[in-house]
Amino acid sequence: MLRRICSVLLIAIAFTGHTAFAQTPDLLPKYGRTSEDGAPSAEDQKFLAATDQRFKGDRKKASADFAARGWTALRQGKSDEAMQRFNQAWLLQSNNGNALWGMGQIEANRGRAAESLKLFGEANRQIGFELDFAVDYARAQSLAGVKLGDKQLVDEAFKRFAQLQARAPTNTLNLQNWAIALFYAGQYAAAWDKVKAAQATPRGAEVDKKFVADLQRKMPRP
């Protein structure tokens, strides 16, 4: 699987507030639908027919293509376009784990913790263990735990961070996400430990400077 590391977007907003975004259906995960919403609409049928023609009826391949476009858009900071692509991928193949993962990542960045965690849970059933996904899942769990005031979720996220560090000790993003979760849990000394570990990795220069400055204001670097 291609690496899909996305930078930690909107850190403060994700933990403490909501971003503003349009409530149009194509910008909501799965177009805002539930499993009880019935058959595809006429517009959906038109899209599916055109896509079937283009991909010669191979919806799995088409879904993978749209999901890949979604990840490209998300890496470029185009979250609305990314959600549209992930939705198209989902419409083509409802169990596309990469599309569900992308939706969950966007919802986490929007500060919609519970929604994000549900999507990550669905994606996990399709993807299983994959390092980049596992790193994002741990982040989403910590976001949800802090935002919802759920200590059990936070503790589970910390366990995930530790397990991932054991498997990939130089993964910069995992260490940074762990530091951010510790920061919002008020554990500043422990957060500094993870920041230092992240900065000592081969990609340490990518550690978010704004977050480090926020931590510095709470507790000077030891």
Side-chain angles (χ1 to χ4, degrees), residues 4-63:
R4 293 182 171 88
I5 293 181
C6 293
S7 60
V8 178
L9 302 172
L10 308 173
I11 292 170
I13 294 173
F15 275 100
T16 62
H18 291 270
T19 57
F21 63 95
Q23 293 286 339
T24 55
D26 61 340
L27 298 183
L28 295 173
K30 304 179 184 178
Y31 301 104
R33 301 173 191 171
T34 68
S35 57
E36 290 77 34
D37 282 343
S41 67
E43 186 177 347
D44 292 340
Q45 295 284 15
K46 183 178 179 180
F47 166 75
L48 291 169
T51 305
D52 283 344
Q53 184 175 14
R54 178 182 170 194
F55 286 88
K56 303 186 187 324
D58 190 341
R59 290 192 178 180
K60 184 176 181 179
K61 181 178 179 181
S63 181

Side-chain angles (χ1 to χ4, degrees), residues 6 21 30-31 35 39 47 70 89 94 101 106 144 148 150 152 182 189 196 202 216:
C6 293
F21 63 95
K30 304 179 184 178
Y31 301 104
S35 57
F47 166 75
S94 62
W101 172 9
I106 293 172
L148 301 173
D150 189 327
Q152 182 177 349
L182 287 163
K196 291 176 182 178
Q216 179 75 30

